[in-house]
Amino acid sequence: MKSLLHPAVDQPTKGILCMLLAVGMFCAMDACMKQLTQYYAPMQITSLRALFAWPLIVIWLVTTNRVQHLLNSRWSLHLFRAVLGIVMLSAFVYAIQTLSLADAYAIFFAAPLLITAMSVWFLGEHVQLRQWVAISIGMLAVLFMLKPEGDQLLSLGALAALVSALCYAISAITVRVLSRTDNSGNMVFWLMTMIGLGAGALAYPQWVSISLDHLWLLALMGLSGAIGQVFITEAFRLAPASVIAPFEYTALVWGLGFDILLWQLFPGLSMLIGAGVIMACGLYLWVQERR
């Protein structure tokens, strides 16, 4: 696959390293959010995730002399990313409220498949027939993981994780388009600002007062989320989406570790099988891209 809209110079090695660092930070953030779901609604956690990261983002912008470029932005795409971000985060928080981190990640692993599929329309890339077969097999594995929950036809938590993955995939493609005109500072700052305010407005009617006992958890969530946001924005700016997306699979290792250490949740066979098939399909797409 060759993109028609790649930046002037791609740096895949740096992009991959940024993705690996971003994944580790986001997994720590997700563990904090899962712990907070006992006390706050998903939309409030979404807002708090952005608001607690916001001061750190501002510090990063000031220390790297990026503040002067903030108003030189493509507002329509930033607003679109913010809407996607609100839906993505709130859906994912809902998912981890009912699922283990590993289960939610396994469903979320559909994102690289969706990125490759949507790159045809959004980035002008060419996807070969065998790649479409791999995408189809991976999505069938996702359907396998949308296992029944009691009398329900589908697991609502798993469905929320899939919605989150779809929003993330569209957002990742949008970053590639935005990177042609906006720097990473603009993208991170406006995303966090708009998510914090937008999700806060939506959560306001059911807003719960924050307990002082949770401030350290919120601070850790903000710190890890801010660092992760910077690195993931840099990753998609530095390298083609189809190259770096498969490295998000390292999240499963982090998820399993947090599940076992913090909540004594062990993976089920269906999760391991489904995740294995989805990861295999994603890695196959990556191999085809490298060829």
Side-chain angles (χ1 to χ4, degrees):
M1 273 188 314
K2 299 298 182 184
S3 171
L4 300 179
L5 295 176
H6 280 182
V9 178
D10 281 322
Q11 302 179 59
T13 301
K14 289 184 178 180
I16 290 169
L17 289 175
C18 285
M19 176 58 76
L20 291 173
L21 288 169
V23 169
M25 291 295 102
F26 280 136
C27 289
M29 180 194 74
D30 292 342
C32 294
M33 291 196 300
K34 181 172 177 61
Q35 192 68 23
L36 289 168
T37 57
Q38 304 174 62
Y39 313 102
Y40 308 102
M43 193 60 71
Q44 182 173 347
I45 293 175
T46 298
S47 177
L48 291 172
R49 176 259 188 270
L51 294 176
F52 272 79
W54 193 85
L56 302 173
I57 297 297
V58 172
I59 292 173
W60 172 63
L61 291 173
V62 172
T63 56
T64 56
N65 297 317
R66 298 172 188 252
V67 176
Q68 64 269 30
H69 303 297
L70 287 179
L71 297 180
N72 299 324
S73 301
R74 296 174 66 178
W75 298 108
S76 59
L77 283 180
H78 284 295
L79 182 60
F80 180 56
R81 277 193 76 214
V83 172
L84 289 172
I86 291 172
V87 177
M88 178 191 72
L89 279 171
S90 58
F92 189 77
V93 173
Y94 177 85
I96 60 177
Q97 189 174 26
T98 58
L99 302 175
S100 68
L101 287 180
D103 280 334
Y105 288 159
I107 299 293
F108 199 84
F109 284 164
L113 307 180
L114 295 170
I115 289 171
T116 302
M118 289 187 295
S119 67
V120 173
W121 297 282
F122 292 99
L123 295 180
E125 297 180 348
H126 174 67
V127 178
Q128 299 176 359
L129 177 60
R130 58 179 177 269
Q131 293 172 304
W132 282 116
V133 171
I135 292 171
S136 299
I137 294 173
M139 294 311 297
L140 286 174
V142 171
L143 292 177
F144 168 72
M145 297 192 66
L146 296 177
K147 52 187 178 297
E149 189 177 78
D151 295 329
Q152 298 175 3
L153 295 176
L154 293 174
S155 163
L156 294 181
L159 192 59
L162 182 58
V163 170
S164 181
L166 177 61
C167 291
Y168 172 80
I170 298 173
S171 181
I173 296 294
T174 305
V175 169
R176 291 292 288 169
V177 177
L178 262 176
S179 66
R180 300 173 64 207
T181 56
D182 289 50
N183 61 47
S184 57
N186 286 29
M187 289 186 272
V188 175
F189 176 81
W190 290 117
L191 181 66
M192 290 296 99
T193 301
M194 292 179 180
I195 288 179
L197 296 176
L202 292 172
Y204 180 75
Q206 287 82 39
W207 190 273
V208 176
S209 299
I210 298 172
S211 170
L212 294 178
D213 294 337
H214 300 152
L215 285 179
W216 71 272
L217 199 57
L218 290 165
L220 181 59
M221 178 181 70
L223 177 62
S224 56
I227 295 173
Q229 194 64 54
V230 169
F231 277 116
I232 202 167
T233 302
E234 283 292 295
F236 281 107
R237 185 185 65 83
L238 291 169
S242 54
V243 170
I244 59 174
F247 289 89
E248 294 180 71
Y249 294 144
T250 55
L252 186 61
V253 177
W254 289 99
L256 288 170
F258 282 127
D259 283 338
I260 295 171
L261 289 175
L262 299 179
W263 301 287
Q264 292 75 54
L265 296 174
F266 293 86
L269 182 60
S270 62
M271 187 281 291
L272 294 175
I273 294 174
V277 172
I278 296 168
M279 290 169 66
C281 292
L283 291 174
Y284 174 79
L285 293 177
W286 177 73
V287 171
Q288 292 300 310
E289 168 67 22
R290 302 308 293 170
R291 288 179 179 176

